[in-house]
Amino acid sequence: MVTPRLRSKKLSEPTIARLPVYQRIAEGFARRGLSRIDSEQIGQLAGVTATTVRRDLAGLGSFGTRGAGYDVSVLNERIGEALGHDRSYDVVVVGLGNLGRALVNSSNFLIRGARLAALYDVDPAVIGVEIAGHVVRNVDDGIVPATVGVICAPASAAQFVADRLVEADVHAILNFSPQVVTVPIGTAVHYVDFSIELQILMYHLNNGTGPLGGGVLHSLGIASPSGRRPS
Amino acid sequence: MVTPRLRSKKLSEPTIARLPVYQRIAEGFARRGLSRIDSEQIGQLAGVTATTVRRDLAGLGSFGTRGAGYDVSVLNERIGEALGHDRSYDVVVVGLGNLGRALVNSSNFLIRGARLAALYDVDPAVIGVEIAGHVVRNVDDGIVPATVGVICAPASAAQFVADRLVEADVHAILNFSPQVVTVPIGTAVHYVDFSIELQILMYHLNNGTGPLGGGVLHSLGIASPSGRRPS
DNA sequence: GGATGTGAAGTAGTTCACAGCC
DNA sequence: GGCTGTGAACTACTTCACATCC
């Protein structure tokens, strides 16, 4: 059993959730013409400690320079490699109500290798309409094989859509409907529920003692360094 | 210092993120006319172990019945109390492009005490238009005081909007733009980034070894019970 | 000098195992 | 009998502190 060189260092779940954030920060620096960044700066912007940043990045191999931080473009590249951005993959979106349209038209959703393959709906009023360069097809005509399926249908149709996606051999599903769906083992389902974020925010507000830091990133359970004040 | 009776039991962050999920499940049971549920069933549907469910719920006080599980309506009620759903609060949404419209028109976003107070934009083409029962106002005219501000503006305008919200004394911000914003201490910012979910999904797919369970909930870092097969 | 990378310590969260109660 | 609730064990993640290297 040879130790894999770069790939599959088995990153932890929290680390994986933070890497895209670091990458966004790196892109911001690059856009402003800066070529170097240190763990302190990344942590400040991402709302985590510098140590956490260093540990996360150390997991991708040692590419920082002691005394000088990280090269912004190398950082960007390494995170991309770790997250598999070199490969591109097909995404199908099912359900083109307000949310579905917002997603496929967004410049921040289908990025980093994601390629929109097809759109589906069941509503005759929507089928045939062209959205984001794709003509919306009928779910009943069968879904084209893809890597990821996105469910933007109402809760009542979520399980139906999930079943159609499974039939189409889609093994990764992103479900935006507030409905738990059951799928066979071997298929991953991630849920995105906007109202949960609102509810978490309200809990902290009601109980005072929430992580109310400055410029802090809390998405995906990322907590702020407690009692540490920025700058 | 008297120990508070029900409130402020200081729930852990992962627990808080799971409670809304349990509540959704309880509602599903109630809708199907079922009056009892046990930790095993909840765990199955939420994608966590039964023990985790019991520990989470024990934090809200002991309201389960040994040998018979939880009463669905009591469960629903207790979670609501813990999350502060009895209080209602005002939400303002800034930016009514595709996503902003999708959110305010969604039946799953502004729920459980959230009340839409006002809509804002900077685009003259959108200002004055009525959406979801509210006429869109101009951000420059000042934002009305509210509990939560939702940023649906493009990344380039995110910081500007955040500043206006802070001026309006909004202390909780939900930011849907892929832009880290800085706010004074005492203001909470939660980020929602759809593409991060996609990227996490892709990481697991590329590395095989992901949490690919059946009917599992992964949103917000909720991981599946490893190596445990459902049913 | 200055920031990375990492063993060691600390903390938080999960899972086990079972006593307690219906 | 069956399922909750919880001390105890375990695992995972974070933070400290510092050796290491540019």
Side-chain angles (χ1 to χ4, degrees), chain B residues 63-88:
Chain B
F63 58 95
T65 311
R66 289 165 199 240
Y70 303 88
D71 181 281
V72 167
S73 64
V74 173
L75 174 59
N76 205 333
E77 197 179 315
R78 286 303 176 89
I79 295 176
E81 278 172 28
L83 260 32
H85 292 163
D86 40 336
R87 299 182 223 300
S88 74

Side-chain angles (χ1 to χ4, degrees), chain A residues 124-197:
Chain A
V126 179
I127 293 167
V129 174
E130 184 178 318
I131 297 175
H134 290 257
V135 175
V136 179
R137 310 184 202 182
N138 190 336
V139 175
D140 295 325
D141 294 346
I143 294 177
V144 96
T147 311
V148 178
V150 178
I151 302 179
C152 293
S156 57
Q159 185 62 58
F160 170 80
V161 172
D163 292 343
R164 296 296 81 71
L165 287 169
V166 168
E167 280 175 11
D169 210 38
V170 172
H171 289 277
I173 295 175
L174 196 53
N175 184 8
F176 283 84
S177 84
Q179 174 66 45
V180 176
V181 298
T182 54
V183 295
I185 302 175
T187 300
V189 183
H190 280 222
Y191 293 74
V192 178
D193 187 332
F194 311 134
S195 75
I196 289 181
E197 284 300 321

Side-chain angles (χ1 to χ4, degrees), chain A residues 24-45:
Chain A
R24 279 257 155 87
I25 292 167
E27 286 173 336
F29 265 58
R31 209 175 305 118
R32 293 188 352 229
L34 301 164
S35 68
R36 305 226 123 243
I37 191 168
D38 63 43
S39 61
E40 188 62 39
Q41 295 173 296
I42 299 174
Q44 201 74 194
L45 291 166

